[in-house]
Amino acid sequence: MDKIIVHGGRSLSGTVKISGSKNSALPILAATLLTREPCIIHSVPDLSDIHYMLQILSHLGAQVERASGTVTIQADKVSTVAPYEIVRKMRASVCVLGPLLGRHKEARVSLPGGCVIGDRPIDLHLKGFRALNAACRVEAGDVKVFADELRGATVDLEGRQGPTVLGTGNVMMAATLAEGVTVIEGAAAEPEVVDLANFLGKMGAKIEGAGTRRITIEGVKELHGAEHSVIPDRIEAGTFLVAAALAGREVTLRRVNAEHLNAVTNAISDAGFRLHIQRDSITVFGNGSSLPVHLITEPYPGFPTDMQAQMCALLSRANGESSVTETVFPQRFMHVSELKRMGADIALEGATARINGVARLSGAPVMASDLRASAALVLAGLVADGTTEVNRVYHIDRGYESIDEKLMGLGAEIERVKNQL
Ligand code: EPU
């Protein structure tokens, strides 16, 4: 397994280009199953989660071609069964259920297990499919959904932990080919849901309200091929904003959608950093230390759970006591014990991390079993004294395109050591 070695203490400056969004690209690639015609998707990031999704689509029978950031997919004839060996590597494989159900009125996909950030149920996805007149059963570890006919309906997808991003996408995809009108109440309003709805619209779907808590879908008989560019990754952008705040002099992010980052730029500005924000670029001026901040993660447009770990790294060095409360995945604190090994002073009280800023962090061998937690450790390593070895880098490679090269481009001193056992 690869590891990343970060030599702390270099200051970052320059420009970094943000890649296409992982969490937009995954359901958009799955949505190509809704038509037999070719679809062309641009700005698809080169990440292991994307490779898994393309493998699943190929396994289902789609023709997949990839040339740098552009993927062409033609799902002329597809099977409706995605087995365990192929879907177990990535929880987001569950988003092939909606398009397969929509187009073929049946799908059988191995159930995703829990993961380190929490239980990750799919009850709300199934609630939506049932509302559309599908039967859902769990058999031998697989979830099987089928219907004689999909019929539009009104369904509330708000769960105890708020709305569901992939659940909203899944039900929206199935509903595009249902008979009649579907209304999703309590829908997720994340930019990734809007991007998916825009792509489906280009395929001929009739969708209104994406980006609000109520989405209306008028079913059509069939969808056609379409071409689309995935939106910039707001979480990769947020991660580089934190890197720049922690270790930067002046760092500019290009190819961002600044509107999608309001909650994050507000938090970084509250932490005392100056930002110059334009529609598609953001410059951060680092100033060495940050002010304490009190943050609560929430569904969009609130502060994103996917930026919580990185902010904990930033606030570990703040001048005072901060708090970070996680409401979306209340157990998502794998980074805390590792940051403490680097000298951070953090106490966990339920779903709240109380962070007492320290003047110095020190490099250490660390590892985390979650993508964003691992990224937070790389960020902490940028300002730690000495050397930080971040193990199990495959977690980072799931969601960050060449994070080591991009940070090195800004002046960080980082090595990737290949194939550690
Ligand atoms: N939930 C349910 N039932 C469901 C689905 C979700 O109770 O059927 C709960 C979850 O357990 C959680 C909350 O609802 O407490 C929100 O989960 P959601 O369904 O929105 O998460 P997701 O769609 O599975 C996506 C992203 C995650 C991101 C979350 C929240 C993708 C591929 N994944 O997951 O991204 O944290 O939305 O914004 O889009 C990451 O990129 O690091 C990542 C984990």
Side-chain angles (χ1 to χ4, degrees):
M1 265 179 256
D2 291 6
K3 63 182 173 188
I4 282 181
I5 300 180
V6 186
H7 300 276
R10 305 287 150 139
S11 85
L12 309 184
S13 60
T15 298
V16 59
K17 189 167 165 225
I18 300 305
S19 302
S21 159
K22 164 178 86 82
N23 291 348
S24 261
L26 288 169
I28 284 174
L29 292 171
T32 64
L33 292 170
L34 282 161
T35 176
R36 51 175 51 228
E37 292 183 13
C39 294
I40 303 171
I41 318 294
H42 303 288
S43 295
V44 178
D46 186 8
L47 303 170
S48 50
D49 271 11
I50 297 291
H51 299 310
Y52 297 141
M53 179 55 82
L54 296 179
Q55 270 175 19
I56 293 167
L57 299 180
S58 301
H59 179 91
L60 291 171
Q63 302 294 315
V64 177
E65 276 170 37
R66 182 172 192 154
S68 77
T70 294
V71 178
T72 305
I73 299 170
Q74 183 163 16
D76 185 8
K77 288 201 183 75
V78 288
S79 126
T80 56
V81 182
Y84 183 67
E85 310 76 77
I86 194 116
V87 304
R88 74 183 161 87
K89 295 177 187 154
M90 184 183 60
R91 196 186 171 277
S93 34
V94 73
C95 61
V96 300
L97 274 174
L100 290 175
L101 179 64
R103 177 160 156 203
H104 289 293
K105 310 295 172 260
E106 62 174 35
R108 182 174 182 139
V109 174
S110 190
L111 255 185
C115 77
V116 289
I117 70 175
D119 189 23
R120 321 272 324 248
I122 61 161
D123 56 307
L124 297 169
H125 302 229
L126 301 186
K127 179 183 178 190
F129 297 147
R130 286 197 178 102
L132 297 178
N133 191 42
C136 307
R137 285 201 199 124
V138 175
E139 274 176 25
D142 293 351
V143 58
K144 203 172 147 191
V145 293
F146 53 97
D148 290 334
E149 178 190 58
L150 284 182
R151 288 200 291 268
T154 295
V155 61
D156 187 345
L157 291 187
E158 176 97 24
R160 260 182 310 151
Q161 240 68 256
T164 164
V165 176
L166 289 179
T168 301
N170 236 342
V171 176
M172 187 165 72
M173 289 190 275
T176 57
L177 294 176
E179 193 64 42
V181 175
T182 299
V183 179
I184 304 178
E185 303 278 3
E190 267 65 6
E192 294 75 18
V193 174
V194 178
D195 203 23
L196 172 63
N198 287 341
F199 174 57
L200 293 169
K202 290 178 185 172
M203 296 174 80
K206 294 193 175 159
I207 301 176
E208 277 177 19
T212 73
R213 304 301 308 280
R214 177 188 288 129
I215 300 179
T216 305
I217 306 122
E218 190 186 327
V220 295
K221 285 269 170 288
E222 61 180 10
L223 296 178
H224 50 75
E227 188 164 352
H228 185 73
S229 265
V230 173
I231 55 170
D233 194 311
R234 66 193 166 102
I235 306 301
E236 187 201 12
T239 303
F240 276 95
L241 289 178
V242 170
L246 263 172
R249 282 198 301 269
E250 183 178 331
V251 173
T252 299
L253 279 56
R254 296 229 184 276
R255 197 182 184 268
V256 294
N257 184 328
E259 200 187 315
H260 296 164
L261 280 152
N262 276 340
V264 177
T265 47
N266 286 343
I268 290 175
S269 158
D270 288 349
F273 297 94
R274 193 158 66 85
L275 297 156
H276 179 60
I277 302 175
Q278 288 175 298
R279 199 177 50 82
D280 59 359
S281 80
I282 303 177
T283 301
V284 192
F285 302 89
N287 59 5
S289 84
S290 81
L291 301 172
V293 171
H294 300 281
L295 276 180
I296 300 180
T297 66
E298 282 169 338
Y300 190 84
F303 188 86
T305 171
D306 292 342
M307 280 301 302
Q308 183 257 108
Q310 302 88 317
M311 279 306 281
C312 285
L314 178 66
L315 298 174
S316 299
R317 295 220 322 159
N319 198 2
E321 193 186 310
S322 304
S323 67
V324 176
T325 300
E326 176 57 73
T327 71
V328 181
F329 293 109
Q331 300 162 37
R332 192 177 198 178
F333 283 108
M334 286 70 57
H335 42 288
V336 166
S337 50
E338 299 299 292
L339 286 172
K340 282 165 82 170
R341 296 185 57 247
M342 297 177 73
D345 180 0
I346 308 178
L348 262 186
E349 287 170 19
T352 297
R354 300 211 177 279
I355 308 172
N356 216 338
V358 294
R360 308 176 85 86
L361 294 174
S362 54
V366 286
M367 70 166 90
S369 324
D370 162 48
L371 164 60
R372 309 300 172 189
S374 308
L377 299 174
V378 171
L379 298 184
L382 294 173
V383 286
D385 293 338
T387 298
T388 301
E389 263 185 43
V390 184
N391 291 286
R392 295 198 186 158
V393 164
Y394 61 88
H395 288 294
I396 302 189
D397 294 335
R398 285 186 39 216
Y400 290 92
E401 191 172 58
S402 320
I403 191 172
D404 41 348
E405 285 166 30
K406 287 188 180 184
L407 285 169
M408 283 192 285
L410 295 173
E413 193 181 343
I414 297 187
E415 300 162 59
R416 180 182 282 254
V417 181
K418 292 253 170 223
N419 292 328
Q420 296 295 302
L421 289 175

